[in-house]
Amino acid sequence: MTTQLTHAAAPVKTSGRGSGRARGGQAADVGRPGFAWAVPATIFFVLFAILPLLAVAVLSFMSWGGIGDPEWVGLDNWSRVFDDPVMIKSIWLTLLLTVLGVVLQTPLSILIGVWAAGTQRNRAVISAVYFVPLLLSSTAVSVLWRALLDPNFGIPSEATWLFGDGNLFGEQSTAIGVLAFVSTWQFTPLHSLIYQGAARAIPQVLYQAAQIDGAGRVRQFFHITLPQLRNSIITSMILMVVGGLTTFETVLILTQGGPGTDTTISAYYMYQKAFKSFDFGAGAVIALLLVVAATIISLIVVRLSGYDKMRSTMEGVS
Amino acid sequence: MRRRPNYLAGVASVAWLIIVALPLYVMLSATVQSKGDYAKGSPLSWPEHFTFENYSGAFDEGFGKFFLNTLIVTVAVVAIVVLLVPPLAYAVVRSRSRVASGVFRLFLLGLAIPAQAVIVPMFYLISEAGLYDNLIGVILPTAAFCLPISTLILSGAMRDIGHELFEAMAVDGASPRRMFLQLVLPLSKGGISTIVVFSALQAWNGFLFPLVLTQSDSTKVITLGLYNFQTEHGINVPGTLAAVFMSMVPILLVYLFARRALVQGLMGVGGK
């Protein structure tokens, strides 16, 4: 869950940076902390996050089997990874699952979020239930669904009219369907909550004006609510994309990448390469590709949307 | 003026409520049935004979020890975060030093690093440091990955502290240390409890670092216990579900007591 969360905020809060500085322009520097206050946390973070990230780039040019010293092999890992049909397939599967996740979750969570932004009491109660999947770890969610979808004892065995022979994990299409559904089950609450917060912040005056102009509910939704939610849609999509790229537990526990390699997404393939086949060089290459892909996609989404310019969604209000 | 009810979204919400609640119901009802009863009846039926053997069975599997390990990891991670982040956020918000603003950018960049990206070199580093299969080896990277979001949340909270308060203390000749202890810390209690909840959640639910950096039963955390339980006893659905439920009880308790901090943190993620 949290890996996903962490990506959201990056473009959001940058706007707040420096505002304190501007306000304090006249104030003397008396009593201002020096950078020394930031040093302990920074050292810790560099040691356990930044250095490993640099190390993964170096390791991608080395051969290492887990024991002994890594050995320089140049581009060997890279060419091996790109000649590997399973790797190519895993990239497509990762993209497919990511796109499926965005397509399933976005409309659903916008609807739920906007609905939950209302004030009746029953909404609060229902929203509290929605929340539960978000508290479960990905491990617990995956184990739970693995048990619920068990071909012999689970729900499919009861509803053969819907699920056929009940073995949803035996075929690529249904296995991918399960993975997409389980992510949606787990993360729709998070995205609904993002939209709920944003929908609450939409000024009521806009709706009042629209009603005076005679705009109906549907028009109001498309002409006021959706445009006002633009920033949240972007944040939420970045979360979904990065979360989709780095999905791991769900695949490990629900499908083990199978049947065959039919659900072997890149993050799972990286784990297999590094920690099952002890080919840490190839694992490092895939890990690096994941970071690069996540960063590039986030940047593209932010750029395309004009989000980086922090355009106001308040236009037409004041 | 009141907005009229949104029927379309209402229907979607109720449909989704069923999809969310049904698995939770199946889980709870399965955990109080014997394995035999569960296999005989429908997963959706209410249990006829209540039993708690699934829960005691999980404890026979060592879940008590896994709980304890997870608790140690969680407490240690929260302690590291609470020790490191407030001074950092204070410097980010109040310092005029270019280094401090550069550091903040570094942490923003850190938001984009997924754990998967560093797990290979992390395995190397932790092994070299002799911390493989040691809870300390799990605690350190887990805490590091809590830092970016915590810094973001807490610096946001500290920015809300009124400027005139700092100026008033500056006039009194207060040192940065005194301002931190007497002004910043007391006024950012809300933000600190949010980062406590967040890092506790992340540490409690962590999977990849323990999976790769530990091995033996004595260092196993609860998520790994769940994973192993399901691989070894996949057929024992009630037992597995009892383990799943137990793994979430502490989180549910935290949720009950710290709902506000959690929801605020999550909503803050979305921006406005």
Side-chain angles (χ1 to χ4, degrees):
Chain A
M1 177 190 93
T2 3
T3 326
Q4 299 221 340
L5 286 183
T6 49
H7 292 91
V12 179
K13 290 275 175 117
T14 29
S15 64
R17 262 203 82 249
S19 58
R21 172 184 303 242
R23 256 183 286 133
Q26 274 81 23
D29 272 6
V30 183
R32 292 211 176 248
F35 73 89
W37 286 76
V39 168
T42 309
I43 291 178
F44 188 80
F45 186 65
V46 166
L47 215 54
F48 288 100
I50 305 291
L51 275 186
L53 191 65
L54 299 177
V56 85
V58 178
L59 263 175
S60 74
F61 299 105
M62 304 185 100
S63 164
W64 188 47
I67 326 161
D69 288 327
E71 196 183 314
W72 192 264
V73 291
L75 284 170
D76 179 54
N77 295 323
W78 287 84
S79 58
R80 265 189 315 122
V81 163
F82 281 104
D83 282 341
D84 180 353
V86 181
M87 178 61 203
I88 306 300
K89 186 175 167 186
S90 83
I91 293 177
W92 286 113
L93 285 170
T94 309
L95 288 177
L96 174 67
L97 262 177
T98 307
V99 170
L100 265 180
V102 172
V103 169
L104 284 174
Q105 292 175 54
T106 305
L108 188 65
S109 40
I110 290 180
L111 281 180
I112 295 175
V114 169
W115 175 82
T119 47
Q120 284 105 312
R121 192 167 164 70
N122 61 351
R123 297 176 193 225
V125 175
I126 291 178
S127 308
V129 180
Y130 280 151
F131 222 90
V132 175
L134 204 50
L135 303 174
L136 285 160
S137 57
S138 296
T139 323
V141 168
S142 311
V143 171
L144 171 62
W145 278 101
R146 177 85 215 186
L148 291 175
L149 296 177
D150 187 284
N152 300 311
F153 305 103
I155 296 172
S157 66
E158 290 300 311
T160 43
W161 52 271
L162 183 60
F163 296 106
D165 69 349
N167 188 3
L168 298 176
F169 301 108
E171 228 174 288
Q172 183 177 37
S173 55
T174 47
I176 285 182
V178 168
L179 291 175
F181 171 79
V182 170
S183 310
T184 305
W185 189 83
Q186 185 182 7
F187 291 114
T188 296
L190 169 69
H191 298 288
S192 307
L193 203 67
I194 290 173
Y195 289 121
Q196 185 186 344
R200 283 229 173 103
I202 301 175
Q204 285 297 306
V205 61
L206 291 178
Y207 293 99
Q208 288 159 8
Q211 269 182 358
I212 291 168
D213 290 346
R217 272 228 69 88
V218 177
R219 279 188 65 134
Q220 287 183 24
F221 179 77
F222 283 104
H223 287 95
I224 300 172
T225 313
L226 271 189
Q228 290 283 322
L229 291 179
R230 190 177 62 208
N231 285 355
S232 307
I233 293 173
I234 295 153
T235 309
S236 151
M237 277 190 176
I238 295 175
L239 278 177
M240 288 176 191
V241 168
V242 178
L245 291 179
T246 53
T247 306
F248 174 72
E249 286 102 311
T250 326
V251 171
L252 175 72
I253 293 168
L254 281 168
T255 66
Q256 293 88 46
T261 53
D262 280 353
T263 57
T264 300
I265 58 166
S266 301
Y268 181 69
Y269 196 48
M270 177 213 61
Y271 169 76
Q272 272 198 324
K273 276 279 170 204
F275 298 100
K276 294 290 159 193
S277 319
F278 299 103
D279 184 350
F280 287 91
V285 171
I286 307 174
L288 203 57
L289 288 175
L290 281 173
V291 186
V292 171
T295 312
I296 289 177
I297 292 175
S298 303
L299 286 178
I300 289 175
V301 175
V302 168
R303 195 43 69 81
L304 280 183
S305 59
Y307 196 40
D308 53 336
K309 299 183 194 77
M310 294 311 288
R311 259 188 291 163
S312 170
T313 44
M314 298 294 279
E315 55 216 20
V317 177
S318 48
Chain B
M1 202 185 302
R2 266 221 116 121
R3 275 198 258 169
R4 281 170 294 147
N6 185 344
Y7 294 109
L8 183 60
V11 169
S13 308
V14 172
W16 191 249
L17 180 69
I18 295 169
I19 294 178
V20 168
L22 202 66
L24 300 174
Y25 160 76
V26 173
M27 169 172 74
L28 282 179
S29 84
T31 60
V32 290
Q33 301 178 50
S34 72
K35 210 171 120 189
D37 280 1
Y38 181 79
K40 259 187 280 159
S42 149
L44 298 177
S45 59
W46 187 246
E48 279 174 43
H49 313 284
F50 283 84
T51 167
F52 288 99
E53 66 187 32
N54 298 309
Y55 290 94
S56 55
F59 274 96
D60 296 338
E61 293 279 331
F63 264 71
K65 176 70 179 161
F66 306 158
F67 256 106
L68 188 68
N69 285 336
T70 307
L71 194 67
I72 293 170
V73 170
T74 304
V75 169
V77 165
V78 168
I80 292 175
V81 168
V82 167
L83 219 62
L84 291 181
V85 173
L88 172 69
Y90 178 49
V92 162
V93 172
R94 291 286 299 168
S95 174
R96 288 274 173 79
S97 154
R98 276 181 181 284
V99 184
S101 69
V103 159
F104 187 58
R105 248 174 253 148
L106 181 76
F107 278 91
L108 284 182
L109 183 84
L111 287 167
I113 308 175
Q116 279 98 337
V118 299
I119 193 64
V120 171
M122 194 68 78
F123 174 72
Y124 180 72
L125 289 176
I126 294 290
S127 307
E128 288 291 298
L131 292 173
Y132 180 74
D133 204 19
N134 183 327
L135 285 181
I136 297 173
V138 175
I139 290 165
L140 296 175
T142 306
F145 274 76
C146 291
L147 292 185
I149 189 81
S150 304
T151 307
L152 210 64
I153 292 173
L154 195 60
S155 56
M158 284 184 186
R159 280 206 180 88
D160 292 340
I161 299 173
H163 230 291
E164 37 326 316
L165 294 173
F166 285 106
E167 273 157 32
M169 284 192 86
V171 169
D172 288 348
S175 65
R177 201 173 75 94
R178 223 183 96 201
M179 285 192 194
F180 179 69
L181 293 176
Q182 294 184 355
L183 177 67
V184 177
L185 276 190
L187 287 183
S188 40
K189 260 189 223 148
I192 291 175
S193 46
T194 304
I195 67 172
V196 166
V197 171
F198 258 77
S199 28
L201 202 65
Q202 192 154 346
W204 189 273
N205 288 340
F207 181 74
L208 190 62
F209 287 135
L211 174 72
V212 169
L213 302 175
T214 67
Q215 187 180 30
S216 53
D217 268 356
S218 61
T219 52
K220 196 165 275 172
V221 295
I222 192 99
T223 45
L224 282 187
L226 277 185
Y227 172 54
N228 275 34
F229 196 96
Q230 101 105 39
T231 4
E232 284 162 28
H233 311 271
I235 209 100
N236 180 4
V237 177
T240 310
L241 293 179
V244 171
F245 181 66
M246 284 197 297
S247 78
M248 67 185 283
V249 167
I251 299 293
L252 283 178
L253 289 178
V254 169
Y255 177 49
L256 285 180
F257 288 110
R259 179 159 193 271
R260 190 172 291 265
L262 186 63
V263 174
Q264 262 173 2
L266 287 172
M267 281 193 169
V269 161
K272 300 202 179 77

